[in-house]
Amino acid sequence: MIYLDSNATTQVHPDVLEAMLPFLTEHCYNPSSGYSAAKIVKNALDQARQQVAALISAHPEDIVFTGGGTESNNSALSYLAGQATHKKIITSAIEHSAILHYSEHLCSQHGFNHEKIPVDSGGRLQLDALKQALSKDEGAAFTSIMWANNETGIIQPIEEACELSHQARVPFHTDAIQAVGKAPVDVSTTPVDYLSLSGHKFHAPKGVGALYIRNGVSYQPMLHGGGQESGRRSGTENVASIVGLGKAAEIMQQRLAEDQFRSIAELRDYFEHSLLTQIEGVTINGAKDQRTANTSHLSFQGCEAAGLLILLDEYGVGCSAGSACMTGKQQPSHVQTAMGISAQQAKSSLRISFSIFTTREETHIAIEAVKKAVHKLRSVQGDSSVGPVHIYT
Ligand SMILES: Cc1ncc(COP(=O)(O)O)c(C=O)c1O
C-alpha cells in the first residue's frame, strides 16, 4: 500500500529498530537494578533523554518519559487542574480529543468550565480572542494550545499565545505531538511551561512519548508507585521504546538541521499542484504557508470522502478523512467546523500526510489514484457542478 496517513502514525525507522533490539534481548534488565549489567540500561535511558531534549532544545532533566501523547496531555492537564484556584480552562477549538475530551472530563467531574478559542478560516488561533479570554476577572487554570493541528498541519502562533498566557500569569501547555520531529520546536526560545510529544508520529514505536516540564515549573505526577523518572512518572520504564524514541529524535534533529523536510514539502506541493491543475473543484484547506511540511488537507467538490477512501483503498492508497479518530463518522470534524468550512465541503475532505519515506514515484501513483477516484465518484454521483476553486492563503 502507498501509505499517505503519516499523521496517524509512522513506520519505525530501521535505525530505530536496530537501536531498540538489544534492549529487548541481551540488555533486558530493569534500569533500577543494582548490578553492573543494569547500568547499560540506565545509561541508555540517560542517552535517550539527552537525544529527546536536544530535539526541542531542552535540558535533559526536564524530560519525563510517558506512555505516549495522550498520557502526556492528560498528565499535564490533570496536574494543572488539580492545583488551580480558578475554574476556567482555556484551549483552542481545534485541539485533539486527548485535550478536548480530558477538558470535558474536568468540566463534568470537577466543575471546570471550558472556553474554546476560535481559529480563523486559515485554521490559525485568533490571538485577540485568547487575549480577551485571559483578561476576564474569573481568571484561568491553564491555557493549552496545540503547536500544529493533526488534520490540517496548520502551525499555531505558540510564541504569541504563550506570551499572552504568561502576561496573565496563567500556565501554558502545548500539545506539540504533530510538530515535534517535523517542524522546528525550540523551548529555549518559546517559553512554554509544559509540552507533550509522541514517538509514533516521528518513526519511533507507538506507546512511548514524553512530557517536557520546564525547570522550576511545578508538577505532581498522575501515576504513583516506584518513583521512576525522578518521581514524576512511576512504572518500570519501557526501555526499548524509550531507546527508540531517543534514536528517532536524533535522526529527526539531523534531518531538520539539514532542511530535509523541504523535500517532503516539495512532494506535498507537487501532489497538490497536480490535483489543482488536473481536476476541477479541488480546495486546499488552511493557511498554505503555515503548515507542517508533510500535510495536505483537500476538499473535492461533489465527492463524499467516505467514497473516496474506499476507492483509494481499492487502488492501493491509504489516507484518511479528517483525523484518524474521526474516520468512519459522518459528521464534519470539529476542526473544519471551527475553520468555517461548510458541512458539505468538510464531508468531501481528505487528509494526506507524507513521511520521510514517501517517494516521488509513490506520490505520482497517488495523484493518478485520486484523479481516478474523483472521476469515478463524480460520474456515479452525477455531480459535475463544480464551482470556483478556493485556495486559502
Ligand atoms: C495532536 C495530537 N495529540 C495527541 C495525540 C495522541 O497521541 P498518542 O497516540 O501518542 O496517544 C495525537 C495522535 O493522533 C495527536 O495527533
Side-chain angles (χ1 to χ4, degrees):
M1 181 178 79
I2 294 174
Y3 184 61
L4 294 179
D5 200 17
S6 297
N7 283 7
T9 195
T10 57
Q11 175 193 333
V12 169
H13 192 289
D15 295 351
V16 168
L17 182 63
E18 195 185 315
M20 289 172 63
L21 283 175
F23 294 92
L24 293 167
T25 51
E26 59 192 296
H27 303 311
C28 67
Y29 314 109
N30 190 317
S32 301
S33 294
Y35 29 84
S36 51
K39 186 83 180 130
I40 296 174
V41 184
K42 169 83 174 57
N43 289 345
L45 286 185
D46 291 344
Q47 190 191 1
R49 203 178 306 282
Q50 282 167 16
Q51 290 163 319
V52 171
L55 179 61
I56 59 168
S57 304
H59 298 297
E61 56 277 16
D62 296 349
I63 300 294
V64 177
F65 292 121
T66 67
T70 301
E71 184 190 320
S72 299
N73 281 345
N74 279 218
S75 304
L77 269 51
S78 162
Y79 168 67
L80 286 165
Q83 55 95 59
T85 47
H86 300 292
K87 279 296 185 190
K88 182 169 77 173
I89 57 186
I90 298 176
T91 75
S92 79
I94 57 164
E95 298 296 314
H96 186 271
S97 50
I99 293 290
L100 288 181
H101 290 176
Y102 196 77
S103 299
E104 282 164 21
H105 160 78
L106 290 174
C107 293
S108 65
Q109 300 299 312
H110 300 282
F112 283 85
N113 55 78
H114 184 189
E115 185 159 352
K116 293 183 201 165
I117 307 302
V119 295
D120 61 23
S121 60
R124 296 257 295 172
L125 187 78
Q126 294 193 14
L127 288 165
D128 284 350
L130 175 61
K131 195 172 175 180
Q132 228 174 19
L134 285 161
S135 69
K136 291 179 192 161
D137 286 344
E138 61 193 315
F142 62 81
T143 308
S144 181
I145 306 289
M146 68 196 330
W147 199 297
N149 182 262
N150 43 302
E151 289 182 39
T152 59
I154 303 297
I155 294 174
Q156 301 302 319
I158 290 301
E159 213 168 314
E160 295 87 337
C162 181
E163 196 183 334
L164 287 174
S165 198
H166 284 166
Q167 277 168 4
R169 297 177 185 278
V170 175
F172 189 86
H173 166 260
T174 181
D175 172 347
I177 287 160
Q178 289 291 345
V180 170
K182 299 179 187 172
V185 172
D186 184 335
V187 297
S188 72
T189 54
T190 305
V192 300
D193 300 307
Y194 307 86
L195 176 149
S196 302
L197 62 90
S198 175
H200 73 106
K201 306 297 182 180
F202 60 96
H203 306 290
K206 296 160 191 48
V208 65
L211 177 63
Y212 160 79
I213 307 165
R214 182 172 295 279
N215 183 23
V217 166
S218 62
Y219 183 70
Q220 291 293 328
M222 193 160 74
L223 298 184
H224 297 267
Q228 288 88 348
E229 294 295 290
S230 307
R232 293 174 297 181
R233 200 276 189 180
S234 284
T236 303
E237 297 88 342
N238 180 0
V239 175
S241 293
I242 291 171
V243 167
L245 178 67
K247 186 68 190 173
E250 181 188 284
I251 294 168
M252 292 307 142
Q253 190 190 0
Q254 192 174 346
R255 286 184 177 246
L256 281 163
E258 291 167 357
D259 205 12
Q260 288 189 23
F261 275 74
R262 188 187 292 270
S263 55
I264 300 183
E266 278 166 13
L267 275 190
R268 189 265 318 268
D269 294 346
Y270 160 62
F271 179 82
E272 288 182 343
H273 180 76
S274 304
L275 294 179
L276 282 169
T277 52
Q278 294 173 38
I279 28 182
E280 285 180 90
V282 181
T283 304
I284 300 175
N285 298 314
K288 273 185 75 181
D289 55 349
Q290 301 282 357
R291 296 181 288 173
T292 45
N294 77 318
T295 308
S296 178
H297 195 276
L298 298 166
S299 300
F300 299 88
Q301 196 171 334
C303 297
E304 287 275 334
L308 283 176
L309 287 181
I310 291 168
L311 286 172
L312 287 172
D313 190 27
E314 205 175 286
Y315 304 153
V317 175
C319 60
S320 74
S323 75
C325 320
M326 299 295 293
T327 302
K329 290 189 190 169
Q330 283 302 299
Q331 308 102 318
S333 81
H334 67 289
V335 176
Q336 295 176 75
T337 304
M339 288 165 70
I341 295 174
S342 72
Q344 189 149 17
Q345 186 178 337
K347 282 188 203 172
S348 67
S349 300
L350 294 184
R351 177 186 70 178
I352 316 280
S353 43
F354 299 76
S355 83
I356 58 170
F357 293 117
T358 313
T359 64
R360 197 171 174 89
E361 173 67 8
E362 286 179 321
T363 308
H364 178 72
I365 296 170
I367 291 164
E368 294 307 312
V370 173
K371 278 163 53 184
K372 199 166 138 190
V374 168
H375 285 140
K376 184 158 184 183
L377 219 54
R378 281 184 181 157
S379 64
V380 169
Q381 292 178 348
D383 186 347
S384 58
S385 58
V386 286
V389 174
H390 181 72
I391 302 172
Y392 293 100
T393 51

